[in-house]
Amino acid sequence: GFDLDPAEVHPLLKPHQRDAVVWAVRGGRRAVFASFGLGKTFIQLEIVRLVLTKLGGGRGLIVLPLGVRQEFTRDAVKLGLSVRFVRTAAEASADGIYLTNYESVRDGKLDPRGFAVVSLDEAAVLRGFGGSKTFREFMRLYEGSANFRFVATATPSPNEFIELLAYAAFLDVMDVGQAKTRFFKRDSSKADHLTLLPHMAQEFWLWVASWAMFLQRPSDLGHCDDGYVLPPLDVRWHEVASTVAVVDDDGQSALLPTGRLGVQQ
């Protein structure tokens, strides 16, 4: 990665977003697991922009689900960036930041190896690991590649170890097989059912923390949570009298009949 002065990050980013960008760029291959609403879009755009700036130019690619490309386009404008959505490599010939969807990479329409930096948005697509064509294709394309790589998604389940290992493998931090042997007890009756060895737990999470940032709220990085803490729920119960409430054959009651009909009716 590259040493980065926090002042180089766009001033629009909030302090926790700025810290995440600086940390990721310094690492070169990092994962940002930030909860919903913490600004993963801004973080990824700035990571790609700053890496390209440090490289003196080149092409950056953000791979994402189709449903969020408009969000990236809008946020890019706020940062003064111009991004373009493409489906083939031929459409991305000039320097700059490009967006594409996972299917275009998986189906071979766009080879991400031609880009200097790649970030995977909503990277939970890698959860399928061995059974996922998308993951296998990404691993094949990136084998031996020296590109800058990043992943971003909402905080993964801490018990889904295979998901964390898939991210580490994509980032080329550690091979999945090596990580399994080092940290886990295998279950011969169920593939990819991993149990973390008790005496390796601390070392495992220290290792994960060397390449991944788990961010639940700004205060995790020492910043103010104002605007991010929801007010307490105000629960108010109302009882509605009903003369048509029904109980089905399974004993489940309903306020109104569902209207479900059988073939005869």
Side-chain angles (χ1 to χ4, degrees), residues 97-201:
I97 300 176
Y98 295 90
L99 311 176
T100 194
N101 57 316
Y102 281 97
E103 291 77 10
S104 294
V105 177
R106 182 194 65 194
D107 298 338
K109 298 177 182 178
L110 191 150
D111 188 341
R113 287 177 295 189
F115 294 83
V117 52
V118 173
S119 181
L120 305 186
D121 180 59
E122 300 298 345
V125 71
L126 301 184
R127 282 177 183 162
F129 189 54
S132 164
K133 179 183 176 182
T134 303
F135 178 80
R136 294 197 303 270
E137 187 65 12
F138 267 84
M139 294 306 297
R140 183 187 68 79
L141 290 172
Y142 275 95
E143 187 174 0
S145 169
N147 293 0
F148 289 82
R149 307 180 202 172
F150 304 92
V151 299
T153 189
T155 308
S157 169
N159 297 321
E160 289 291 339
F161 295 118
I162 196 65
E163 179 182 349
L164 293 174
L165 300 190
Y167 297 139
F170 172 76
L171 296 172
D172 207 20
V173 175
M174 185 182 292
D175 176 75
V176 171
Q178 181 183 357
K180 285 181 178 180
T181 301
R182 181 172 179 177
F183 298 113
F184 296 95
K185 177 181 178 181
R186 306 288 188 96
D187 185 344
S188 58
S189 64
K190 187 176 181 181
D192 289 337
H193 180 260
L194 305 177
T195 301
L196 184 60
L197 294 169
H199 67 281
M200 296 298 293

Side-chain angles (χ1 to χ4, degrees), residues 40-120:
K40 292 186 294 296
T41 304
F42 281 132
I43 290 171
Q44 288 179 87
L45 287 166
E46 272 297 276
I47 287 173
V48 175
R49 179 187 75 83
L50 288 164
V51 169
L52 292 178
T53 298
K54 294 294 184 179
L55 290 172
R59 296 181 300 161
L61 181 69
I62 299 176
V63 188
L64 42 72
L66 279 174
V68 300
R69 63 174 177 170
Q70 297 302 329
E71 178 184 348
F72 271 83
T73 302
R74 289 193 300 268
D75 285 353
V77 171
K78 296 176 183 177
L79 296 175
L81 300 175
S82 176
V83 299
R84 181 184 175 192
F85 181 82
V86 298
R87 294 183 185 271
T88 66
E91 299 176 81
S93 57
D95 286 1
I97 300 176
Y98 295 90
L99 311 176
T100 194
N101 57 316
Y102 281 97
E103 291 77 10
S104 294
V105 177
R106 182 194 65 194
D107 298 338
K109 298 177 182 178
L110 191 150
D111 188 341
R113 287 177 295 189
F115 294 83
V117 52
V118 173
S119 181
L120 305 186

